[in-house]
Amino acid sequence: MNARVLSTELRRSVAPWAGAVVLLPALAFLYLIPGPWWTGTAAWTAQWTSLALWTRSLLFYLWPLAVGVGALQGLRDHRSRMSELLASTPRPARHRAAALAGATAITLTSAFALLVLVGAVQVVAHTGYTHLGWLPISLVGALALVAGAVLGMGAGRALPSALTPPALAIGAFVFTALLQTSWGRTETTTATGLTSTEPNKVSLLSPAVQEVRGALVTLSASVHVGQTIWLLAMTATGFALLVASTARARLIALTPVLAGAVLALSVLPSDPHRMYVVDRAAARPVCDGPVCVTRTQRARLAGLAGPGKEALRLLHAALGDRAPLSVRENTAVRPQGSAPKWSRTTVLVDFDDDIVASAGNGEELTRALIAEGLVPGCAPVGWESFGPDQYAQAVAVGWVLGDFRPLPGTLSADMRRELDAEARPVWRKLEALPRSGQLARIDAMRAAAISCDGDPFEALKGGAAR
């Protein structure tokens, strides 16, 4: 395949439209539909890894489109009624197939690269942490689009019907949907008694990424290797179908994709904690005294250091030797629905937590950090709640600072009234107790809050925490 043949394919085939089918819906989805990809530390334009993962997640919709467009491309010879004429020419079938597949591969890869570039320009403006760990995620995504399109071309050539492109697109969509639901999820029961699901190795055969869990979470190397094997095998089958001229050759062409699936499943990890892993380089701490953040959030350290040190000072004045000694960004990755893990000696900060995210800087952030140090919250990972934990936070911060007021956060007016009605009387009764009685209730509250075994607010009221 030379440049002249390739340029002719690009001008006369539907290959350029394949790029438009990928790029335009992806940009429309990311910019016009609000969702978690807009906000927080894992927004698609906040960090490099988040950019790669969010754009890969779009393959849930884009990959079936690529398969359908590829099938449409594969019908070209049949539509033009030139199959017999082309078969009689001395030019090998593999040359024509390479030109057809190459043109589509170039446009799809360029479209996906442009999508990543649009996000990359904004990532550069939002973070000072630059690395190349995100690149394999995006490269595998581009390969997935090419593999889907080539497989669609081969299927279109093998099954020359006007119904083939829509049928393949729908089938590919059903395939990705099943891999992200019943086929690709394993149901588990957490220690809290809640039922949750975790991805299994079959889910990794999907071109799309299922979950964007945070700015520090990435895919492991074994996932990249297994997915690359699977997608290369899919490409080989598609190309073999493109050049096959007999029924027997078409059956033999299915061998690579079947063997690739078996080999990929033997490489892909079965443990969810080995699929989505913490990027240790990104999670490396950057500290100002006892206050530390990860490298990805280095720009926030200046704003966190002052309020963090003040919060530690106030907690030490209130609790003495039992007070936390440091403030650190929380880097733990827990399964969805599981109970969080907290520390008595460290205030663990999540910048996506409503209280911290809404606090800004200065005094409000100090109040938020005191709340996180005393009652970090025991809602299952991935869940949002409003109730006794928030009441206990307000009372505990009021006890440390000597005044009661709602903490920063996305509370509605009704929630604020409810919090005031529930928590203010408890704060007043706590303040009326002698110092030893106050410390006893605060200690009971902290024990229940940090262990996530009991009700911190009941402990503040003087009842049994369990």
Side-chain angles (χ1 to χ4, degrees):
M1 180 177 62
N2 57 40
R4 182 176 61 81
V5 173
L6 186 59
S7 64
T8 301
E9 284 289 343
L10 288 171
R11 289 197 310 271
R12 296 182 179 178
S13 70
V14 299
W17 290 103
V21 163
V22 167
L23 180 61
L24 298 181
L27 290 175
F29 185 92
L30 289 171
Y31 280 106
L32 300 181
I33 300 178
W37 48 89
W38 276 15
T39 59
T41 59
W44 82 285
T45 56
Q47 299 289 339
W48 291 103
T49 301
S50 301
L51 165 67
L53 290 173
W54 279 120
T55 49
R56 272 286 297 276
S57 72
L58 295 179
L59 296 188
F60 181 83
Y61 309 99
L62 300 181
W63 189 74
L65 291 177
V67 172
V69 172
L72 184 64
Q73 186 83 305
L75 289 177
R76 184 179 64 177
D77 293 349
H78 176 74
R79 292 197 312 269
S80 61
R81 300 179 181 178
M82 294 177 59
S83 301
E84 292 183 5
L85 175 62
L86 292 172
S88 66
T89 63
R91 188 184 180 197
R94 64 179 182 275
H95 288 183
R96 296 193 302 272
L100 185 65
T104 303
I106 288 174
T107 57
L108 286 173
T109 303
S110 299
F112 192 72
L114 187 56
L115 173 65
V116 174
L117 181 61
V118 170
V121 172
Q122 299 170 81
V123 171
V124 169
H126 291 155
T127 183
Y129 177 61
T130 303
H131 62 104
L132 295 178
W134 61 276
L135 197 55
I137 303 173
S138 294
L139 291 175
V140 172
L143 176 60
L145 289 173
V146 173
V150 174
L151 182 64
M153 289 179 205
R157 178 72 181 273
L159 303 170
S161 167
L163 297 178
T164 299
L168 282 178
I170 293 172
F173 180 77
V174 171
F175 175 73
T176 57
L178 288 174
L179 288 182
Q180 295 203 7
T181 53
S182 57
W183 288 0
R185 308 289 296 189
T186 301
E187 187 174 286
T188 59
T189 302
T190 66
T192 59
L194 298 173
T195 299
S196 65
T197 61
E198 286 288 319
N200 57 40
K201 67 163 60 181
V202 176
S203 70
L204 298 175
L205 295 180
S206 171
V209 172
Q210 285 201 33
E211 302 172 4
V212 183
R213 298 190 177 187
L216 300 176
V217 180
T218 187
L219 293 172
S220 65
S222 58
V223 172
H224 300 320
V225 173
Q227 290 181 335
T228 300
I229 292 171
W230 161 240
L231 294 171
L232 288 175
M234 189 185 298
T235 305
T237 287
F239 192 81
L241 287 172
L242 264 179
V243 301
S245 57
T246 65
R248 182 172 179 272
R250 293 186 183 108
L251 286 175
I252 294 174
L254 299 178
T255 303
V257 73
L258 297 176
V262 173
L263 183 57
L265 288 173
S266 69
V267 172
L268 293 169
S270 57
D271 184 355
H273 303 294
R274 293 176 54 222
M275 300 175 191
Y276 296 89
V277 297
V278 174
D279 184 341
R280 296 188 181 279
R284 193 173 300 155
V286 180
C287 300
D288 182 347
V291 180
C292 298
V293 298
T294 62
R295 294 174 69 187
T296 60
Q297 303 300 328
R298 180 183 297 173
R300 296 178 183 257
L301 181 59
L304 182 68
K309 293 174 183 176
E310 177 64 9
L312 292 176
R313 185 189 69 80
L314 292 169
L315 286 170
H316 186 268
L319 299 174
D321 294 338
R322 292 166 293 185
L325 303 176
S326 61
V327 175
R328 291 180 179 270
E329 184 180 350
N330 192 0
T331 60
V333 178
R334 303 284 299 165
Q336 294 288 312
S338 64
K341 295 286 187 180
W342 305 118
S343 169
R344 283 184 172 275
T345 59
T346 303
V347 179
L348 296 174
V349 178
D350 183 351
F351 289 111
D352 289 328
D353 186 273
D354 282 344
I355 294 176
V356 176
S358 304
N361 294 319
E363 180 186 353
E364 287 299 306
L365 183 53
T366 299
R367 294 178 66 90
L369 294 174
I370 293 173
E372 296 290 344
L374 292 174
V375 189
C378 287
V381 175
W383 291 42
E384 294 184 3
S385 66
F386 175 76
D389 281 353
Q390 286 69 36
Y391 306 157
Q393 284 179 333
V395 173
V397 175
W399 175 76
V400 172
L401 298 179
D403 68 326
F404 180 90
R405 54 178 170 166
L407 291 165
T410 56
L411 298 182
S412 64
D414 289 341
M415 287 180 176
R416 287 178 177 272
R417 284 193 292 270
E418 178 184 337
L419 186 147
D420 190 80
E422 293 285 344
R424 188 180 291 275
V426 176
W427 172 70
R428 287 174 176 164
K429 291 179 180 179
L430 181 66
E431 288 287 300
L433 293 175
R435 182 66 178 176
S436 59
Q438 294 177 14
L439 286 172
R441 292 197 181 184
I442 291 294
D443 285 343
M445 175 206 70
R446 286 193 75 206
I450 292 174
S451 66
C452 289
D453 183 17
D455 187 339
F457 192 54
E458 283 297 320
L460 283 174
K461 291 192 291 185
R466 295 184 63 85

